[in-house]
Amino acid sequence: MTRFSCFLLAFILLLAGCGRFTPPVEPIPTEVTPPDGDGVGSSSQNVFEYPLFGGIDDLLAGDGWVRIGWETASDNDFEPEELSYRVYLALDSGHQDFSIPDLEISSDSNVAFIEGLANGTAIHAVVRAVDPLGNEDPNEVEWAATPNPVRYVNHATSPVGGNGLTPETAFSSMGQAVGESIPLEGVNFHVSAGLYLENVFLFSGMFLYGGFDASFAPDARNGELNLTQFASLFSTDLVILSPGHLLTGIDSISLSGQGIVESGVVAVETWARITNCQIFDVTIHGVEFRSDFFDGDTVDGTLRGCVIEGCGGEGVVIDGIGNILIDNNQIRSNLNEGIESQWIRSGFEQESRIEITRNIIRDNGDEGIDLDCA
């Protein structure tokens, strides 16, 4: 009798428990306000004879053109409206001729729009500020971009029928845009504001520029006002920059991990540019630069003007043979190191170079910077 009573009691409890059970609901990503902030820029308490200027802070590429932007310089002896700017261009990194500017811009503009450029050829640009006496600031802040055909992406358009050739016929998703653009040697995706629930895989030569409104006018582009945000329902890496020798990257987009995705951006054996982005709340790495040392492969990358915050692992990870510039970012409040190398290597007649400048690295759970070399 006792055994039967115990069995009956257990059966009743089981039924009661089943009645109260509710299956867990998978989280659905929503648009999240990204963290703000930037790096050190051109801040200084020193006195200089030349203007104080942080150089280029935006470079947008289109079909045969580039648009270069910068913040106004300051000077100890002259007002901002008395300063002008000189633009220097080169086809190879570090080869600008600073004795002959390619373009001079008056003080009433913080933009240089350059047309008639060859598609598929990367442009390396430096802008310097000049005072009325001809004193020119010495910054060498270089940005690269590649003019290429443009394909437009707007999440608000119809998912069928778009070809991406005009703002009116924009693709509705990055997946569609990438798939249709694979035959191109290179492409610049201009992406309007909105929440895109998808992972992004960019082939070599593909570049994603966010921050556009529905008009896609270059002068109206603003990554803060026109938030272009990507999130995902899946735990895989949110953005992958695939191997190749052509410039590939992202600019002015927000990557919201929302505690779901593993890494924000993974750049594998490529030439990567990751600029003016917010990368936050991923479960592992904010940004990972990686190459296969044993095959002698390399990864080249620029990480600039970004905020990387709240990662479950490291903010930035470098592994392999790398030529990496980490400049003017905020890397903060990540669970482990702010910047870590899981072995920076040299070999196979290749050398690694890691340059870390003008960053604010704070409140990380482990070291701010931890570089291991082999």
Side-chain angles (χ1 to χ4, degrees):
M1 182 66 179
T2 302
R3 292 177 59 188
F4 176 77
S5 299
C6 291
F7 174 78
L8 181 61
L9 177 61
F11 183 69
I12 293 172
L13 289 174
L14 179 62
L15 288 177
C18 290
R20 291 195 301 269
F21 176 73
T22 302
V25 177
E26 291 188 3
I28 299 176
T30 57
E31 187 170 287
V32 177
T33 301
D36 59 2
D38 48 29
V40 175
S42 59
S43 301
S44 177
Q45 296 180 349
N46 296 324
V47 177
F48 299 98
E49 293 184 355
Y50 49 79
L52 187 62
F53 182 52
I56 296 172
D57 66 4
D58 182 56
L59 179 52
L60 169 67
D63 191 350
W65 56 263
V66 295
R67 182 185 185 277
I68 308 171
W70 57 86
E71 293 293 327
T72 302
S74 61
D75 193 273
N76 294 310
D77 301 313
F78 299 97
E79 296 299 320
E81 57 269 20
E82 298 179 272
L83 306 177
S84 59
Y85 302 90
R86 293 173 179 168
V87 179
Y88 300 91
L89 304 176
L91 297 180
D92 296 304
S93 178
H95 283 68
Q96 295 83 10
D97 183 353
F98 291 114
S99 66
I100 306 175
D102 292 272
L103 192 65
E104 295 204 38
I105 305 294
S106 62
S107 60
D108 60 352
S109 178
N110 288 41
V111 170
F113 192 86
I114 304 172
E115 299 179 277
L117 301 174
N119 282 347
T121 300
I123 296 296
H124 301 261
V126 175
V127 174
R128 290 179 167 181
V130 188
D131 70 18
L133 300 179
N135 296 313
E136 180 177 289
D137 93 274
N139 92 80
E140 296 183 1
V141 175
E142 180 186 88
W143 286 56
T146 307
N148 268 317
V150 172
R151 295 295 182 265
Y152 299 95
V153 182
N154 184 343
H155 76 108
T157 59
S158 171
V160 295
N163 58 19
L165 296 177
T166 67
E168 294 75 23
T169 60
F171 293 119
S172 63
S173 70
M174 275 302 302
Q176 184 185 17
V178 169
E180 295 291 336
S181 302
I182 290 175
L184 300 175
E185 292 293 325
V187 60
N188 291 315
F189 297 114
H190 290 188
V191 185
S192 72
L195 176 62
Y196 295 81
L197 294 179
E198 54 181 319
N199 300 73
V200 178
F201 187 97
L202 296 179
F203 292 93
S204 182
M206 293 182 171
F207 209 105
L208 191 166
Y209 294 97
F212 289 93
D213 62 16
S215 73
F216 288 95
D219 287 340
R221 179 172 175 261
N222 186 310
E224 295 182 2
L225 296 178
N226 306 317
L227 180 64
T228 305
Q229 188 168 92
F230 285 81
S232 178
L233 295 168
F234 306 101
S235 62
T236 51
D237 304 321
L238 195 48
V239 175
I240 295 177
L241 309 180
S242 64
H245 66 281
L246 300 177
L247 181 62
T248 308
I250 57 175
D251 180 278
S252 297
I253 67 171
S254 170
L255 301 179
S256 175
Q258 303 197 26
I260 299 173
V261 304
E262 293 184 350
S263 293
V265 185
V266 177
V268 184
E269 296 165 10
T270 187
W271 176 19
R273 174 187 144 194
I274 303 164
T275 47
N276 296 334
C277 294
Q278 304 90 32
I279 304 165
F280 57 103
D281 294 344
V282 299
T283 62
I284 304 181
H285 306 136
V287 175
E288 181 179 358
F289 295 102
R290 186 173 72 231
S291 74
D292 189 337
F293 164 75
F294 296 103
D295 288 338
D297 296 319
T298 64
V299 57
D300 295 270
T302 296
L303 177 67
R304 175 177 276 148
C306 296
V307 177
I308 302 175
E309 178 181 288
C311 301
E314 295 77 19
V316 180
V317 167
I318 307 165
D319 186 12
I321 304 174
N323 181 16
I324 308 298
L325 170 63
I326 302 173
D327 175 54
N328 205 33
N329 306 282
Q330 280 215 33
I331 303 171
R332 65 197 187 201
S333 303
N334 300 293
L335 188 61
N336 295 335
E337 292 87 349
I339 301 173
E340 187 205 24
S341 68
Q342 296 174 344
W343 299 111
I344 300 171
R345 303 174 184 268
S346 294
F348 300 94
E349 300 183 353
Q350 302 284 353
E351 294 184 352
S352 286
R353 174 185 172 88
I354 311 300
E355 185 175 353
I356 302 173
T357 57
R358 302 191 302 172
N359 298 282
I360 297 174
I361 303 172
R362 61 178 176 85
D363 299 331
N364 296 289
D366 212 322
E367 296 94 344
I369 301 175
D370 179 14
L371 301 182
D372 297 318
C373 301

